[in-house]
Amino acid sequence: MEQFGTISIDDAFKRLQQGEVSLVDIRDAHSFQSGHVPEAIHLTDSTLNGFMQQTDFSHPILVMCYHGISSRGAAQYLVNQGFEEVYSVEGGFESWQRHYPQNIITS
């Protein structure tokens, strides 16, 4: 995969529940603490190196942001770093919150 793909909220939810993917959330710390998907890894500039060292580059990655826009750039960055299968979650956390409000936790 030379470019990232996109994935719907429903497909992201299914794949996450099946344990097929890892989900990274790139929103700011306050937003992440206010609510996030339980399985989400908060990916920031300070956690990026550790994430890259601990994650198999062939394992599928979903990238979530606020509305599904910023995640595209982050997804492409991960592809450029060598991750083989990366998807931007369409609609971002805002859409996830509408579709799966029961699947959100606060820190």
Side-chain angles (χ1 to χ4, degrees), residues 4-9 12 61-65 67-76 86-92:
F4 69 93
T6 58
I7 189 167
S8 71
I9 289 292
I61 306 295
L62 307 181
V63 182
M64 179 179 281
C65 64
H67 307 293
I69 307 296
S70 299
S71 58
R72 296 175 190 171
Q76 187 60 53
V86 183
Y87 301 91
S88 171
V89 178
E90 294 176 345

Side-chain angles (χ1 to χ4, degrees), residues 72-87:
R72 296 175 190 171
Q76 187 60 53
Y77 176 81
L78 292 174
V79 168
N80 293 346
Q81 298 309 302
F83 285 93
E84 298 171 12
E85 190 177 348
V86 183
Y87 301 91

